Amino acid sequence: MRIAALLSALLSLSMSKEDSIPVIEIRGEGKPMSSAQIRHLDEQANGGPLQIKVERRWKPEVCERTAEKDDWVTFHYKLYLEDGRKIYTTYDKDPITIQLGADMTMQGLDQGIVDSCETEVLRVSIPWRLAQRDDKGSVWKHIPQEEHWLRFDVEVLDITKFSLAEQFKALDKDGDAAITEKDLIAVATELKEKFGKGWRNNEVDNVHAAKYFIRYFDQNNNAAIDFGEFQSTIEKDQKSMEMKKTGKLPKGLRKHGLEWVLDFNNDGVVTDKEIDESADLFEKGLPEKKDEL
């Protein structure tokens, strides 16, 4: 017994100070963080909502045309995940053409292409909140929803500047210099199927909307809109919008194209109330002569 006690005392004296510190093992036993929690932490570290990042990889010395809201832009792109894996490219397919500011793509990509030059190559990194799209259509169906960041390497091929003549051509689906009900239904159907862009009120019927649009612009009651009617109606609306301008730049500004007729009071702004009432107003229709309004 005395020998055992002596050995124990000698062993305790030989232990260093570090050896006497207890070891605490930490195990990750909690649930892994959700995607939403990770995004929240990213935004806290950023000091606010994450924004797109645009890196201009190559730019022509002379920028003859710059992409702005309402312009049509044709481009190719390669799509990468946050870990650098490429998951899609359009280079083995037809390029994409969209009208900027017309809700034809995710918000972040639309923002990233603005101010680009024809033939420019740019890299657009898009955070989750600006990459969401409820209905993607066939063009964007391959884009994942839950990635924290998506990276688009974009090559701008062509920029067509906005004009009323170009907007008319975009609505004149068969190219016969007259916008008809058939043209408008075809445009609305294509926008929905290819780009996931529908009416902001899901109850809107394309046939009712097309009939309303034709009646709105058709000045000679021949069930078709020529460019003169299209131009003069929009110019008249723009004068009305200018007179009603408040000086502030509100949300929901009136958009060209099919959605022009959503601004029922011609003040330049499409309100939630106008969107909510649009299906009923389209179905009710307009009187044959605008003077009766």
Side-chain angles (χ1 to χ4, degrees), residues 146-290:
E146 290 302 320
E147 287 295 311
H148 301 305
W149 285 92
L150 293 173
R151 192 186 91 203
F152 288 80
D153 285 355
V154 178
E155 180 184 0
V156 179
L157 304 176
D158 181 74
I159 298 171
T160 300
K161 300 301 294 180
F162 172 82
S163 68
L164 290 181
E166 290 295 336
Q167 188 69 70
F168 183 88
K169 284 169 58 179
L171 296 172
D172 178 17
K173 191 65 177 172
D174 59 11
D176 65 352
I179 298 173
T180 63
E181 182 181 326
K182 182 179 178 181
D183 288 327
L184 296 174
I185 293 173
V187 169
T189 301
E190 182 180 83
L191 286 172
K192 182 66 173 176
E193 291 179 352
K194 290 183 66 175
F195 300 98
K197 173 182 168 57
W199 293 96
R200 284 179 275 178
N201 181 336
N202 292 328
E203 295 180 2
V204 167
D205 179 85
N206 281 340
V207 175
H208 292 155
K211 289 180 182 295
Y212 187 100
F213 192 101
I214 294 294
R215 186 62 61 83
Y216 187 86
F217 284 90
D218 180 20
Q219 297 171 9
N220 60 6
N221 295 321
N222 69 341
I225 307 165
D226 62 33
F227 179 68
E229 292 172 318
F230 184 76
Q231 183 178 34
S232 63
T233 301
I234 287 185
E235 289 176 349
K236 178 182 175 183
D237 287 349
Q238 287 173 332
K239 289 180 181 178
S240 173
M241 290 156 54
E242 189 65 29
M243 292 173 61
K244 296 177 181 179
K245 189 179 292 185
T246 62
K248 297 181 179 179
L249 190 64
K251 295 181 179 179
L253 291 175
R254 191 177 200 172
K255 295 182 179 181
H256 287 281
L258 288 173
E259 295 188 28
W260 187 262
V261 291
L262 286 175
D263 183 11
F264 295 103
N265 65 355
N266 272 328
D267 67 349
V269 180
V270 177
T271 64
D272 290 340
K273 183 174 185 292
E274 287 174 314
I275 293 171
D276 290 342
E277 295 176 349
S278 58
D280 292 335
L281 292 174
F282 286 160
E283 184 174 3
K284 181 180 179 182
L286 286 168
E288 189 162 323
K289 293 182 180 179
K290 291 186 186 178

Side-chain angles (χ1 to χ4, degrees), residues 31-148:
K31 293 182 180 179
M33 286 192 295
S34 67
S35 296
Q37 288 172 318
I38 294 172
R39 287 192 288 269
H40 178 67
L41 291 176
D42 285 344
E43 291 187 344
Q44 280 188 320
N46 186 61
L50 298 171
Q51 305 297 332
I52 63 169
K53 302 173 184 176
V54 179
E55 180 184 348
R56 304 200 177 275
R57 312 277 286 178
W58 185 87
K59 192 171 183 177
E61 292 184 6
V62 178
C63 187
E64 295 183 356
R65 281 194 288 269
T66 303
E68 300 172 302
K69 181 180 176 294
D70 294 325
D71 292 345
W72 288 266
V73 181
T74 300
F75 59 95
H76 271 304
Y77 72 88
K78 297 176 184 177
L79 174 61
Y80 298 83
L81 301 181
E82 189 174 6
D83 62 10
R85 285 183 295 129
K86 184 176 75 173
I87 62 169
Y88 191 78
T89 179
T90 60
Y91 280 92
D92 56 352
K93 307 170 186 66
D94 291 333
I96 307 298
T97 298
I98 62 171
Q99 186 174 17
L100 295 179
D103 193 29
M104 292 177 70
T105 185
M106 64 195 67
Q107 187 179 353
L109 186 58
D110 195 289
Q111 291 176 359
I113 295 175
V114 169
D115 292 331
S116 61
C117 297
E118 218 167 43
T119 73
E120 183 174 356
V121 178
L122 57 151
R123 175 167 291 173
V124 184
S125 297
I126 304 173
W128 177 86
R129 72 181 190 91
L130 298 176
Q132 299 305 294
R133 195 164 180 81
D134 293 334
D135 188 346
K136 298 178 182 179
S138 61
V139 171
W140 310 118
K141 66 181 180 181
H142 50 274
I143 297 178
Q145 285 281 85
E146 290 302 320
E147 287 295 311
H148 301 305

